[in-house]
Amino acid sequence: MLKNVKKEEWAANLLQQVNTTVFLDYEIKMIGREFMDDVMNLQHIVYESLENKEIFHPNTLKDNVTILDAGGHILGVFFERQLIAFRIVDIPGLERPNLGRDLNFDEEELKKVAIFDTTVVHPDFRGHGLQKKTLLKSREILLDQNYRHGLATVSPNNLYSVRNLLKAGFVIRQLKKKYGEIDDEIDGKLRYILYMDMQQTLPKKYKHIVHIKNHQVEKQKMFLNNGYEGFEIPIYRGIHDFTVAYGKV
Ligand SMILES: CC(C)(COP(=O)(O)OP(=O)(O)OC[C@H]1O[C@@H](n2cnc3c(N)ncnc32)[C@H](O)[C@@H]1OP(=O)(O)O)[C@@H](O)C(=O)NCCC(=O)NCCS
């Protein structure tokens, strides 16, 4: 387990191999409760490494067990038998909070929703496209299980995550506060709600394209409320400073 290995020793040893290996020789596999300690340890390492904690909403152990029990899945990425990244996918159905409700889905469509929940990559293993690779693997699994609607929330101050989701075929559909103690929009964290029709593979053609900065919240909301969707990051200067391209199909 990561916690039990001295970080410097572990990282130095593995990094030497990563740096001398052009192709990172990792394995992606579905994992269950038996890896929950490793999942929670890795989440802790990633959370502690974040300068701005607001961009990440950590799951509790209970959240993860509920997700597995409800038919969701967790993909673990292993290098030298160490967990270096994971992705959690939730199938909320009608019983639990379902982001499809934010997009006004009816009951039939809510049943076809999969939430692309927490995803982390250990800071020493970033830059190998693991977020996108696990996303595409989860999409394959979900299509086999006949789910259609992929949904996710990402902070508008998290360039890397927004960029990876857009590159994988998600689009920004809403911008609002989520995960509040009281209710959405009152005391929550500001989040993009992203959507992907997992059965749709044809690229879309956008018209009336406008570029809006990530921190221009009201302007983005105005365009989103008028049928625009965010589809690309054409300009970026840093994790909190980028531009989103919005357009109409
Ligand atoms: C978002 C995240 C999973 C992306 O990791 P990843 O899949 O390894 O990222 P990519 O392979 O797309 O990285 C592309 C480039 O961005 C850089 N990068 C990625 N994440 C970065 C970060 N958080 N800070 C600085 N640079 C980062 C990579 O080093 C790479 O740079 P390079 O092209 O010079 O090599 C990872 O940054 C992370 O774990 N962040 C914290 C948790 C989080 O925000 N999760 C998403 C919300 S649930």
Side-chain angles (χ1 to χ4, degrees), residues 144-171:
D144 277 351
Q145 296 173 333
N146 287 323
Y147 291 101
R148 174 167 189 187
H149 307 297
L151 282 148
T153 59
V154 180
S155 161
N157 290 310
N158 193 347
L159 163 71
Y160 303 104
S161 200
V162 179
R163 194 174 59 178
N164 281 333
L165 287 180
L166 297 184
K167 277 190 194 162
F170 276 85
V171 291

Side-chain angles (χ1 to χ4, degrees), residues 43 46-47 49-50 55-58 84-87 116-123 125-134 153-155 158-165 167 191 236 239:
Q43 178 176 265
V46 169
Y47 187 71
S49 75
L50 292 175
I55 68 165
F56 185 72
H57 185 72
I84 57 163
F86 66 80
R87 164 173 298 286
F116 287 71
D117 195 88
T118 316
T119 173
V120 306
V121 174
H122 188 287
F125 290 89
R126 293 191 183 146
H128 295 276
L130 292 177
Q131 182 182 19
K132 189 170 167 203
K133 283 171 186 150
T134 54
T153 59
V154 180
S155 161
N158 193 347
L159 163 71
Y160 303 104
S161 200
V162 179
R163 194 174 59 178
N164 281 333
L165 287 180
K167 277 190 194 162
R191 290 293 184 259
Y236 53 90
I239 186 163

Side-chain angles (χ1 to χ4, degrees), residues 1-228:
M1 288 189 299
L2 292 174
K3 196 172 72 178
N4 298 336
V5 182
K6 270 195 192 156
K7 186 175 181 291
E8 309 80 46
E9 229 176 76
W10 178 73
N13 190 2
L14 290 188
L15 264 179
Q16 203 206 344
Q17 296 175 51
V18 176
N19 291 337
T20 52
T21 313
V22 178
F23 173 72
L24 177 66
D25 194 11
Y26 59 85
E27 183 194 6
I28 302 182
K29 64 177 182 192
M30 201 109 92
I31 57 176
R33 284 172 184 235
E34 69 284 7
F35 281 98
M36 213 45 84
D37 285 348
D38 303 75
V39 164
M40 296 310 288
N41 285 338
L42 182 55
Q43 178 176 265
H44 180 72
I45 291 170
V46 169
Y47 187 71
E48 287 308 311
S49 75
L50 292 175
E51 228 169 87
N52 175 7
K53 309 267 187 255
E54 194 274 340
I55 68 165
F56 185 72
H57 185 72
N59 275 11
T60 61
L61 178 62
K62 191 165 168 254
D63 291 333
N64 290 344
V65 170
T66 306
I67 287 171
L68 286 177
D69 287 349
H73 68 255
I74 304 183
L75 290 180
V77 183
F78 293 83
F79 179 70
E80 300 279 307
R81 281 186 275 162
Q82 298 275 355
L83 185 73
I84 57 163
F86 66 80
R87 164 173 298 286
I88 301 180
V89 172
D90 188 15
I91 305 292
L94 301 178
E95 309 298 322
R96 288 181 302 119
N98 186 324
L99 289 174
R101 292 202 171 89
D102 294 87
L103 302 188
N104 301 320
F105 286 5
D106 64 26
E107 282 211 352
E108 262 329 286
E109 299 310 306
L110 287 173
K111 290 182 198 161
K112 300 178 200 160
V113 164
I115 309 288
F116 287 71
D117 195 88
T118 316
T119 173
V120 306
V121 174
H122 188 287
D124 293 341
F125 290 89
R126 293 191 183 146
H128 295 276
L130 292 177
Q131 182 182 19
K132 189 170 167 203
K133 283 171 186 150
T134 54
L135 191 155
L136 296 177
K137 182 83 194 148
S138 284
R139 178 174 171 268
E140 247 177 68
I141 294 168
L142 292 163
L143 279 173
D144 277 351
Q145 296 173 333
N146 287 323
Y147 291 101
R148 174 167 189 187
H149 307 297
L151 282 148
T153 59
V154 180
S155 161
N157 290 310
N158 193 347
L159 163 71
Y160 303 104
S161 200
V162 179
R163 194 174 59 178
N164 281 333
L165 287 180
L166 297 184
K167 277 190 194 162
F170 276 85
V171 291
I172 298 171
R173 279 283 173 84
Q174 264 198 44
L175 177 54
K176 67 194 292 192
K177 284 191 176 164
K178 294 291 293 177
Y179 312 123
E181 289 290 316
I182 305 168
D183 206 353
D184 287 354
E185 289 290 24
I186 296 178
D187 63 337
K189 297 172 177 166
L190 195 59
R191 290 293 184 259
Y192 288 129
I193 297 181
L194 294 108
Y195 172 72
M196 168 169 61
D197 180 345
M198 295 188 281
Q199 292 171 1
Q200 170 66 262
T201 47
L202 293 175
K204 295 180 188 169
K205 283 212 160 179
Y206 287 96
K207 298 177 288 197
H208 311 299
I209 296 171
V210 287
H211 287 181
I212 312 178
K213 292 202 169 180
N214 63 312
H215 47 81
Q216 290 180 295
V217 175
E218 291 310 316
K219 192 169 177 186
Q220 290 180 92
K221 282 186 179 178
M222 196 179 76
F223 277 90
L224 287 165
N225 289 339
N226 281 286
Y228 284 72

